[in-house]
Amino acid sequence: MNWGDRVSPTVRAIPPSGIRRFFDIVAETKGVVSLGVGEPDFVTPWHIRESCVYGLQKGYTAYTSNYGLLELREEIAQHVNNKYGVPYDPRKEILVTVGVSEALDLAMRAILSPGDEVLVPEPCYVSYKACVTLAGGNPVIVPTTLENEFRVTVSQLEELVTPRTKALLISYPNNPTGTILTYNELAAIAVFAEKHDLIVISDEIYADLTYQGQHTCFASLPGMRDRTILLNGFSKAYAMTGWRIGYALSNRDFINAMTKIHQYTMLCAPITGQIAAIEALKHGDGDVAKMVDEYNRRRRLMVEGFRKIGLPCFEPKGAFYIFPSIRETGLSSLAFAEQLLKAEKVALVPGEAFGASGEGFVRCSYASSTTNLTEALKRIDRFVKNCR
Ligand SMILES: Cc1ncc(COP(=O)(O)O)c(C=O)c1O
């Protein structure tokens, strides 16, 4: 019996995540220096972990409100207002989710009807296209290039927008490129969104990991608060990937719609993670600043390292990834990653995992110790020399 035939055609058509597929190979290889995983190498700061332990001692083990603990929503509202000057009502305009992953899925399912198009600048996070497709929409890829440091421009968007376009999904700082957009670039996108009456889903999970200039919150741009579904979470900035806490902020109609789906599918985010997230927002700023300093040092090391090796790369201004071009080796990104792993035991992610416009590049995460990064650079140098 081939049960695969019974799987929904939509799900069958979605390829598995290119990152996971690659890391199954890595898991079977000993002595690998990995620049592959997109998660902090830091453990969640102790006071955040401790708050969860106290919470458990006090017996906080039950469901929370579907929206999330009110105290957490109040902290999120205060945090976003203090940082970006955008006010949200914690009772009606904030939903606590199981990571940004769930928030992305909810946003798509809440707004899309079958056949609606969503503009997705690429290279992009591996989930975006699948989330749009699973919600019945059609992702419309907007390819960006190294020549423009992977920035999406309004003229590119204008070329691809149609009467069926319902939304635009952006994420700056970007995974995998580390690109950020300036206030003026985002303001031009805001004018475009207004002109075509689009909803903007802005995944700002790397907002705190910005190394040059100030992060611009898309919802803070004139007229954008209600048009935007702003997503953020605790995974990256607070080194809390395993706690699975994210949040969505928007007008009450969108949050209400997302909460409807969330209450039937997830009920609520885990209470343990929510308690820890309150502590992170109350007392975690110093930890974030220390981690950002450390990432910044490693970022410079990697930029310098790749420039010495002679692989073209632009300086990433945010997140914790660098995205050098490997075109001159004549290898595809997958062949480069596979051969590097075999020859030198260094794991990185082939750019094609982030879409066709990622081909010719590899993503290296510098959320790893300086020792690991230095060793990886040495091995990549040797590998590239052998390719020449
Ligand atoms: C751009 C982007 N958005 C969302 C996520 C998922 O984050 P979370 O752990 O909050 O689900 C990731 C994780 O790598 C990411 O890179």
Side-chain angles (χ1 to χ4, degrees):
M1 181 77 188
N2 184 2
W3 292 101
D5 292 347
R6 309 279 183 96
V7 173
S8 120
T10 312
V11 175
R12 262 189 277 157
I14 291 175
S17 157
I19 299 188
R20 290 287 145 228
R21 196 183 55 203
F22 191 70
F23 279 90
D24 287 345
I25 310 172
V26 174
E28 289 159 16
T29 318
K30 282 213 175 91
V32 173
V33 181
S34 179
L35 310 185
V37 286
E39 69 177 322
D41 58 322
F42 300 107
V43 174
T44 308
W46 170 243
H47 66 101
I48 298 176
R49 286 183 275 155
E50 198 177 34
S51 69
C52 170
V53 173
Y54 283 149
L56 287 171
Q57 277 175 346
K58 285 184 200 149
Y60 295 145
T61 56
Y63 293 135
T64 69
S65 147
N66 295 138
Y67 286 98
L69 291 169
L70 181 59
E71 188 184 354
L72 175 55
R73 286 181 273 138
E74 285 169 347
E75 285 297 332
I76 292 168
Q78 202 180 326
H79 175 80
V80 173
N81 204 10
N82 288 347
K83 249 188 144 153
Y84 306 116
V86 197
Y88 287 95
D89 176 353
R91 289 178 188 274
K92 298 272 180 228
E93 297 179 324
I94 300 181
L95 172 64
V96 176
T97 57
V98 180
V100 171
S101 303
E102 192 213 354
L104 266 168
D105 178 47
L106 295 178
M108 293 306 164
R109 287 204 274 161
I111 63 168
L112 295 182
S113 304
D116 281 347
E117 292 173 0
V118 180
L119 294 167
V120 185
E122 200 197 61
C124 63
Y125 179 49
V126 292
S127 299
Y128 289 170
K129 282 172 271 173
C131 274
V132 174
T133 308
L134 287 170
N138 291 331
V140 174
I141 300 310
V142 189
T144 63
T145 61
L146 175 63
E147 290 63 46
N148 195 24
E149 298 194 343
F150 299 103
R151 291 182 162 85
V152 69
T153 62
V154 168
S155 58
Q156 289 172 308
L157 295 169
E158 284 286 5
E159 266 176 41
L160 292 163
V161 71
T162 75
R164 297 237 56 176
T165 311
K166 181 89 179 262
L168 164 67
L169 170 51
I170 53 172
S171 182
Y172 298 96
N174 178 267
N175 173 10
T177 61
T179 299
I180 60 168
L181 293 191
T182 62
Y183 178 93
N184 287 341
E185 286 164 327
L186 288 165
I189 293 175
V191 172
F192 164 83
E194 187 122 42
K195 178 178 160 196
H196 295 282
D197 195 15
L198 304 182
I199 301 161
V200 179
I201 297 117
S202 187
D203 174 357
E204 300 185 18
I205 192 166
Y206 294 103
D208 285 339
L209 308 184
T210 299
Y211 310 105
Q212 268 179 39
Q214 287 261 314
H215 173 75
T216 299
C217 172
F218 196 82
S220 74
L221 295 164
M224 286 303 113
R225 197 202 84 117
D226 285 354
R227 190 176 284 288
T228 304
I229 303 180
L230 172 61
L231 310 181
N232 205 336
F234 294 83
S235 288
K236 312 291 175 170
Y238 298 93
M240 291 176 65
T241 46
W243 299 81
R244 310 308 303 128
I245 303 293
Y247 52 88
L249 311 170
S250 195
N251 65 65
R252 56 184 63 196
D253 292 327
F254 287 168
I255 292 300
N256 187 27
M258 289 168 69
T259 307
K260 262 201 234 170
I261 309 169
H262 172 79
Q263 75 190 2
Y264 290 127
T265 53
M266 209 59 66
L267 216 157
C268 65
I271 189 169
T272 43
Q274 293 192 53
I275 292 169
I278 292 171
E279 172 65 19
L281 286 178
K282 277 189 166 154
H283 304 117
D285 285 359
D287 305 294
V288 176
K290 272 191 218 143
M291 289 188 268
V292 168
D293 272 356
E294 184 54 35
Y295 291 136
N296 198 12
R297 259 192 293 280
R298 298 171 185 181
R299 180 180 73 102
R300 291 207 201 93
L301 174 83
M302 293 304 276
V303 172
E304 212 173 290
F306 276 111
R307 289 196 175 150
K308 275 194 191 138
I309 293 170
L311 291 181
C313 69
F314 78 100
E315 187 182 334
K317 309 279 181 0
F320 39 55
Y321 309 106
I322 186 163
F323 204 57
S325 164
I326 48 90
R327 279 186 190 136
E328 66 154 88
T329 63
L331 298 171
S332 70
S333 63
L334 184 61
F336 184 95
E338 280 174 353
Q339 290 180 27
L340 176 68
L341 181 60
K342 212 162 157 206
E344 294 288 353
K345 296 194 174 182
V346 175
L348 31 76
V349 183
E352 54 126 51
F354 308 97
S357 41
E359 184 48 272
F361 300 86
V362 289
R363 187 193 79 175
C364 309
S365 161
Y366 49 85
S368 185
S369 70
T370 309
T371 316
N372 271 352
L373 296 176
T374 311
E375 179 61 27
L377 285 168
K378 205 170 83 188
R379 296 185 192 187
I380 295 170
D381 187 29
R382 200 159 52 206
F383 177 77
V384 171
K385 279 194 178 114
N386 285 336
C387 289
R388 281 181 177 137

